[in-house]
């Protein structure tokens, strides 16, 4: 055990003496989070900044502005026409609403008009405001019609409606699909980085054979088993740190709605770390040089991540690819996360976990078999 | 005491016999030379002794213990200087020696002391904080040696430690081998430079094609061929020379061409120099110089195998 720790310390020292490696191993996984944000936008809790130009002094216009001010997630700013274009263009405002001089009058006449909505951000942003606003205006027009031309009745109904309206709870529906997509992006990218990291560490074994230090290592009382074990240990440590770091950043800092508990995620991904380590070791045991191992590893990692659906929702992939995906360990991680998000318990998904364990076991067994048969201490270059 | 005993050792690689039924016995305090041309099986023999390869047949005992059954014990007592440099470019000289010494269980101040002792020994103490990527070939070779001796092994095996280095480093290394020996280390030294082996080794085995073809002290080996002498004739051109014709001359045992030097090994009692020169003159070969030489290990090898040690 003392020997293994001695070996581990050396691998860590050599690896992290290069500053670039720190960035690669611990900055890399966070790129997934950034891509997720770029692809799916920020969190749901954004507030919209709405600029208002009210050219109408009548009551309905004032009440409409009032209504908007009381919507959740909306901040209303009074602006004037001269700064309107500028503020929209620079993104200071998400949209602007202009109530024309005859706005109130048009509502009272039952045909809403003289209202204008300006935005450059498109439907996503404005539809929210629009739907609430139009419903509000619809209601008032309906009152007008119900009052049947009697101004007094209308006024009474209108007042009551206004009071009722203040109590209206505006509820924003949580959009879970966005959270799910962002989870896939973040975790999918993490899986890829984990595979690459594990590959790099396994490659050290190959490099040591090439620069002959492996030869000296096994001439000391250290045996091959301890040496490989130390290598896997470091590889696992780095991957576990990657997992914890990514989950922490995604859940606590960037507030991505994963809907899966931190620890369930951590356990699941640690299992995948074992799979990555096994796979890399197998690649190294088959390859004839470190360059071959590196190439082979990338050749396996990238396509398998693409096929497994690490970067897009599983449902969007063609049926054939979905079937192929089942042979990729990454798929089983993502699938397990998906089912956890749907509310299945961790225990009920033991079959998925077993599949991941089986992947790891097969990879490790193959490597042990290949390493055991190696009879070559010559140059590997 | 026997430091090393090798009995009927054979190693096959997929049917190719790299080491063919060799036996060796090395006593404490010897500097034992393993001499042989490229591909003779020297490194394979060493890898077998160090326990890095499994033998096909035969037994190896180090300090009386089987090197496979007691690999931990035997490895603790061996220091191996590999033929190819085995050092980390991204660790300093100090860290290199420290890392390997640590694998033998050394820790703490004892470790630091031993590391510095080893670096001092190879003359790299003032370079201990430097990285080997900035070292000259000779310095790297010396660091390669330091990594093998910090744990104070009883048996040090050096596989061609002087390949491709400057004369200064080479002398330094040969001297340090003597010093290690004086300190009580037994040394196995392989080379295909017979001058080195002649200079430092107390006993020598000559290997060729996986077999030990002769063994003994330098004097014993040369005695095998004392009934012959060497004649070296430097000529201006070699095109007109037919080696077979020279071999037909009475008393000539072997003839070889080394660039533009004809190397002839001939029986001592027979005066055939006239005939040899006559042949060369008839062929209109211009003679540069002529030299009669004491026989050396090169001649021994040539006599035994009919080939030069180095081609
Ligand atoms: N792992 C291996 N597989 C197959 N053949 C091998 C292996 N290792 C060595 N050989 C062969 O065995 C023979 C002896 O090699 P070895 O390295 O022992 O020679 P050597 O005496 O050390 O030569 P050199 O002076 O070049 O170092 C060579 O023909 C070599 O090609
Ligand atoms: Mg060799």
């Amino acid at each position: 055990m003392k020997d293994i720790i001695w070996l581990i310390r050396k691998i860590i020292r050599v690896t992290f003496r290069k500053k670039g490696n720190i960035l690669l191993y611990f900055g890399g996984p966070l790129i997934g989070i950034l891509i997720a944000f770029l692809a799916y936008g920020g969190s749901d809790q954004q507030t919209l900044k709405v600029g208002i130009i009210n050219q109408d002094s009548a009551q309905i216009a004032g009440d409409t502005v009032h209504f908007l001010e009381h919507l959740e997630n909306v901040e209303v700013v009074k602006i004037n026409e001269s700064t309107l274009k500028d503020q929209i263009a620079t993104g200071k405002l998400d949209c602007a609403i202009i109530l024309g001089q005859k706005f109130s009058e048009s509502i009272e006449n039952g045909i809403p008009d003289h209202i204008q909505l300006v935005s450059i951000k498109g439907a996503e942003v404005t539809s929210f405001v629009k739907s609430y606003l139009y419903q509000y205006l619809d209601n008032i027009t309906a009152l007008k019609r119900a009052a049947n031309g009697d101004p007094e009745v209308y006024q009474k109904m209108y007042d009551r409606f206004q009071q009722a309206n203040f109590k209206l709870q505006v509820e924003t529906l949580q959009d879970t699909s966005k959270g799910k997509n962002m989870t896939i992006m973040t975790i999918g990218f993490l899986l890829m980085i984990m595979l690459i990291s594990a590959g790099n560490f396994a490659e050290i074994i190959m490099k040591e054979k090439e620069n002959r230090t492996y030869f000296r290592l096994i001439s000391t009382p250290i045996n091959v088993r301890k040496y490989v074990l130390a290598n896997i240990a470091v590889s696992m440590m780095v991957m576990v740190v990657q997992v914890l770091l990514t989950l922490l950043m995604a859940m606590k800092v960037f507030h991505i709605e994963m809907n899966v508990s931190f620890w369930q995620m951590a356990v699941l991904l640690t299992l995948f770390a074992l799979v990555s380590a096994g796979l890399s070791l197998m690649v190294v045991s088959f390859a004839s040089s470190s360059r071959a191992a590196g190439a082979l590893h990338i050749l396996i990692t990238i396509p398998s991540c693409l096929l497994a659906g690490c970067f897009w929702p599983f449902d969007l992939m063609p049926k054939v690819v979905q079937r192929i995906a089942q042979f990729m360990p990454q798929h089983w991680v993502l699938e397990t996360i998906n089912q956890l998000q749907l509310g299945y318990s961790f225990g009920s998904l033991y079959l998925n976990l077993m599949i991941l364990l089986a992947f790891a076991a097969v990879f490790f067994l193959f490597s042990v078999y290949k390493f055991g048969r190696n009879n070559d201490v010559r140059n590997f270059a | 005491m026997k430091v090393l005993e090798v009995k009927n050792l054979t190693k096959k690689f997929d049917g190719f016999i790299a080491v063919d039924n060799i036996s060796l016995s090395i006593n404490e305090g010897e500097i034992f030379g393993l001499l042989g041309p490229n591909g003779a099986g020297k490194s394979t023999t060493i890898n077998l002794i160090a326990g890095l390869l499994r033998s096909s047949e035969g037994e190896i005992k180090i300090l009386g213990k089987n090197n496979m059954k007691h690999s931990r014990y035997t490895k603790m007592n061996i220091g191996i200087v590999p033929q190819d440099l085995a050092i980390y470019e991204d660790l300093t000289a100090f860290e290199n020696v420290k890392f390997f010494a640590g694998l033998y269980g050394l820790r703490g101040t004892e470790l630091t002391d031993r590391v510095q002792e080893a670096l001092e020994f190879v003359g790299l103490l003032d370079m201990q904080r430097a990285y080997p990527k900035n070292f000259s070939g000779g310095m790297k070779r010396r660091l390669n040696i330091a990594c093998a001796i910090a744990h104070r092994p009883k048996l040090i095996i050096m596989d061609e430690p002087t390949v491709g280095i400057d004369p200064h480093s080479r002398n330094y290394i040969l001297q340090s081998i003597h010093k290690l020996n004086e300190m009580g280390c037994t040394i196995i030294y392989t080379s295909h430079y017979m001058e080195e082996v002649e200079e430092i080794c107390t006993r020598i085995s000559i290997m060729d094609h996986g077999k030990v073809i002769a063994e003994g002290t330098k004097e014993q080996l040369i005695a095998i061929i004392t009934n012959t002498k060497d004649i070296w004739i430097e000529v201006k051109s070699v095109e007109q020379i037919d080696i077979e014709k020279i071999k037909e001359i009475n008393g000539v045992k072997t003839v070889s061409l080394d660039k533009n030097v004809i190397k002839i090994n001939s029986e001592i009692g027979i005066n055939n120099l006239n005939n040899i020169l006559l042949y060369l003159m008839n062929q209109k070969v211009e003679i540069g110089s002529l030299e009669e030489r004491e026989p050396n290990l090169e001649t021994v090898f040539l006599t035994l195998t009919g080939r030069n040690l180095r081609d």
Side-chain angles (χ1 to χ4, degrees), chain B residues 243-272:
Chain B
I243 286 180
E244 294 308 314
K245 281 277 179 337
I246 303 178
K247 275 187 186 160
E248 285 168 11
I249 295 168
N250 188 23
V252 173
K253 301 200 78 160
T254 64
V255 182
S256 66
L257 265 179
D258 188 356
K259 293 204 185 90
N260 59 340
V261 178
I262 312 168
K263 294 180 173 178
I264 300 169
N265 184 251
S266 171
E267 277 178 49
I268 276 176
I270 301 165
N271 194 348
N272 49 12

Side-chain angles (χ1 to χ4, degrees), chain B residues 42-43 83 159-160:
Chain B
K42 305 181 297 291
S43 296
Q83 177 166 358
D159 196 353
E160 312 206 17

